[in-house]
Amino acid sequence: MRSLRFVVSRRWALFALAVVVLAYGAWLLGQWQFHRLEDRKARNAVVERNEALPPAPVAEILDVGVPVDAEDEWRVVTATGTYAVEDTVIIRYRTREGASGVDVVVPLVTADGPTLLVDRGWVATDNRGMDASEVPDPPAGEVTVTGWVRADATGDSTKVSGLSSRSISSVEIGRALDREVYRGFVDLRSETPEPEQPLAGAELPELNDGPHFFYGLQWWFFGALAIFGFFYLLYDEWRGGRSGERRGGRSPGTEPTGSEPTRTEPTSAEPTSSGEPAQPTGAS
């Protein structure tokens, strides 16, 4: 039986190390997908709970300078005030079903004093974009709005330039407009009175588990496949060694030991150097 000492060779040691790294990475990626699944389930539970609650006054849920609590996102709130149309902010690059468009954020100056940022909805545009003068006007005068609480976006996409941005941040928009605003914003659900031309409503989150469970299983399968492949190749090389031993280790093309070479009799006469045919062996 062939020894397994070849496993400690440099080639096999590097191969084993690569398999360990690959399998461990696949394990971590699978765990990451299952953690995302748990986070999604927790978010779905918050959304379902908050949607079932009755609308609350905005001042009970949001505050100036206080970030939105994760447990309050997608809570339905109401607010009454007057839209500051002159400070409308366009949120660019909002694609829906392959169509380009923008979201329209209009500050609502509430009766209590602070301003509430209201994402009134989506408008289709061409590639050149759109400015505030081109979007449909909100209701004039005092308006009561109902909407879903949303947390601020973060990062460079929240920068406001020329009353335009790529993401909604009450901090950046409040600073650009020089207004005292509630932290967070609301996605509009309804307005009273209703506008002459309503915008496309907010897209609500999908309350499903997403693909994370199957992605996690796929990563773990890849890790298991790498380990299986390593041991299969290990067995295959070991088995190849045993086959070589059964052949006696003889190199191809060598003669068996103790055998005599076979003499081949000529089958026809060949000419000699003098040009005459040679006599066959044994001829008289």
Side-chain angles (χ1 to χ4, degrees):
M1 179 179 295
R2 187 184 178 190
S3 171
L4 290 174
R5 285 181 297 177
F6 68 88
V7 178
V8 299
S9 66
R10 180 180 180 184
R11 178 171 65 92
W12 276 94
L14 292 176
F15 185 22
L17 179 62
V19 170
V20 169
V21 171
L22 179 61
Y24 184 64
W27 170 264
L28 291 179
L29 288 169
Q31 286 285 86
W32 172 62
Q33 286 292 340
F34 285 116
H35 287 322
R36 292 190 65 189
L37 174 62
E38 294 304 316
D39 291 342
R40 184 154 184 160
K41 288 181 176 180
R43 186 212 64 174
N44 290 347
V46 170
V47 173
E48 291 175 342
R49 184 199 66 204
N50 287 343
E51 286 186 340
L53 295 174
V58 66
E60 293 183 5
I61 306 300
L62 301 182
D63 200 353
V64 176
V66 180
V68 175
D69 192 304
E71 296 295 314
D72 290 328
E73 192 158 18
W74 295 104
R75 178 73 189 273
V76 179
V77 297
T78 61
T80 300
T82 305
Y83 279 123
V85 182
E86 69 278 6
D87 285 338
T88 298
V89 178
I90 300 298
I91 309 300
R92 308 185 305 273
Y93 310 128
R94 297 299 176 119
T95 302
R96 290 194 184 186
E97 297 180 356
S100 59
V102 298
D103 275 9
V104 181
V105 176
V106 186
L108 181 75
V109 182
T110 65
D112 296 332
T115 296
L116 174 67
L117 298 181
V118 180
D119 184 351
R120 297 191 59 244
W122 181 84
V123 181
T125 67
D126 54 25
N127 291 330
R128 67 180 179 83
M130 177 180 287
D131 58 44
S133 64
E134 299 176 277
V135 301
D137 291 329
E142 188 175 80
V143 182
T144 298
V145 302
T146 303
W148 294 276
V149 169
R150 301 298 310 279
D152 287 332
T154 58
D156 294 338
S157 64
T158 62
K159 300 298 183 183
V160 180
S161 176
L163 295 182
S164 176
S165 182
R166 289 184 292 149
S167 299
I168 305 175
S169 168
S170 60
V171 175
E172 296 294 335
I173 293 178
R175 183 182 297 118
L177 301 180
D178 194 22
R179 289 180 178 273
E180 183 184 50
V181 299
Y182 287 110
R183 285 292 296 271
F185 63 99
V186 298
D187 279 336
L188 184 67
R189 188 172 78 170
S190 64
E191 294 171 307
T192 305
E194 296 182 356
E196 293 183 5
Q197 185 177 348
L199 309 183
E203 292 184 313
L204 301 181
E206 295 183 358
L207 299 180
N208 55 44
D209 292 341
H212 307 299
F213 178 77
F214 294 102
Y215 284 171
L217 288 183
Q218 285 176 2
W219 281 117
W220 284 1
F221 173 77
F222 292 152
L225 188 63
I227 296 173
F228 172 80
F230 172 80
F231 282 103
Y232 176 80
L233 293 176
L234 180 70
Y235 168 73
D236 188 60
E237 181 154 333
W238 175 78
R239 183 182 59 180
R242 293 191 64 188
S243 298
E245 290 176 0
R246 287 196 298 268
R247 289 194 299 266
R250 188 174 67 247
S251 301
T254 58
E255 294 292 336
T257 305
S259 62
E260 293 293 337
T262 304
R263 177 177 297 178
T264 304
E265 295 292 340
T267 57
S268 61
E270 297 182 359
T272 64
S273 56
S274 62
E276 295 183 0
Q279 293 296 324
T281 305
S284 58

